[in-house]
Amino acid sequence: MMSAIQSASAIKLAIVGVGKIVHDQHLPAVAANADFQLVASASRNNTVEGLPGFRSIEEMLAAVPDIDAVSLCMPPQYRYAAAHAALSAGKHVFLEKPPGATLSEVADLEALAASRGLTLFTSWHSRYAPAVQPAKAYLAAHAPTSMHVVWKEDVRHWHPNQEWIWQAGGLGVFDPGINALSIVTEILPSLIFLNRATLEFPENRDAPIAAQLHFQDAAGMPVHAEFDWRQTGKQSWDIIVGTAAGELKLSDGGARLWIAGVEQPLGKEAEYPSLYRRFAELVRAGRPDVDVAPLRHVADAFMLGKRSVVDAFHD
Ligand code: NAP
């Protein structure tokens, strides 16, 4: 059994799968957090300046045995093998979202982490947006009567030439859409489930470019979500919730919050610094944080949704 890492010593962290999100978010967040010391990276083609870099996680774990924890930032189809290798070597694991390509592989990792006394963290960065906890508190006190989610963005701008995202397991438009679902499942006081869905697949791709999802809770409260990657011009990452006391609107992916038409003051901590603060707490306490609710809704959409074939998509 691993023991929790004492608060006096930094957690020796390695990053695996060095790409866009590592450069944009992980490296600055880790550099600003004294709980972590970044000691190595593993990536087939990329390195992090100033750090020992290895071509594979196996090579890295063999060469740097005192690594305490790893952040796995490669595409989801390749996360299970790396997570299994890390947990088997006794390392705590931070999984980028989505935590895997299937629900069952995440369940397997959860069991492995538990058997070794290690932290497995299914990170959902959008849940750490500043509007999310205030929205959750408001909806705990003012029951929602309806919810409308609009997540529409330009895939050419946000995911240029990302082949994995269009392949099976890459989730297509659910790659951003799962961020919306991570917020929905955090702020709603009741569980929801999918009734019907439509998924639009470009004729030359294995993952959808758009989806319409209709959920409800046990009391019949409707939740409608629209995901679309063909949006040009203004981008939308909005969640609008009806309540008897007025409308709650969370916009810009949770960066802003309006209640009954009045914009609310929010905390300033950004998503990834909050994620790493949480990961440090978990590692030091030797506890897991595994929640697959957003991934389960996506799996349900692939299981229940009607499929339509739409125009081919070319980057
Ligand atoms: P990315 O830049 O396309 O990929 C990250 C890195 O993974 C690549 O640079 C590549 O490094 C490695 N990789 C690619 N294919 C691989 C394979 N077949 N096997 C092993 N490693 C592979 O993607 P990203 O945008 O950083 O996204 C990575 C994850 O972060 C995704 O799950 C995504 O949902 C999540 N995320 C992304 C964003 C964003 O804004 N981009 C935001 C939040 C979360 P090497 O070629 O050097 O191995």
Side-chain angles (χ1 to χ4, degrees), residues 240-264:
I240 299 133
V241 192
T243 79
E247 185 181 276
L248 177 146
K249 180 175 177 184
L250 189 150
S251 73
D252 293 354
R256 302 178 73 182
L257 179 67
W258 281 263
I259 295 176
V262 179
E263 185 158 13
Q264 306 294 306

Side-chain angles (χ1 to χ4, degrees), residues 17-22 24 43-46 73-76 78-79 96-98 125 158-159 162 164 175 179 272:
V18 176
K20 183 173 190 309
I21 197 61
V22 166
D24 289 357
S43 212
R44 298 163 312 165
N45 304 296
N46 299 299
C73 305
M74 69 286 286
Y78 314 104
R79 204 142 27 234
E96 247 300 353
K97 53 68 47 171
H125 65 87
W158 298 103
H159 301 281
Q162 276 187 337
W164 62 264
D175 177 81
N179 297 335
Y272 277 78

Side-chain angles (χ1 to χ4, degrees), residues 151-165:
W151 232 248
K152 295 186 176 183
E153 60 178 48
D154 182 352
V155 64
R156 290 191 173 87
H157 177 79
W158 298 103
H159 301 281
N161 302 309
Q162 276 187 337
E163 278 304 311
W164 62 264
I165 218 162

Side-chain angles (χ1 to χ4, degrees), residues 199-204 307-312:
L199 278 54
E200 296 179 42
F201 285 74
E203 63 182 16
N204 60 339
R307 288 156 195 249
S308 63
V309 176
V310 297
D311 290 348

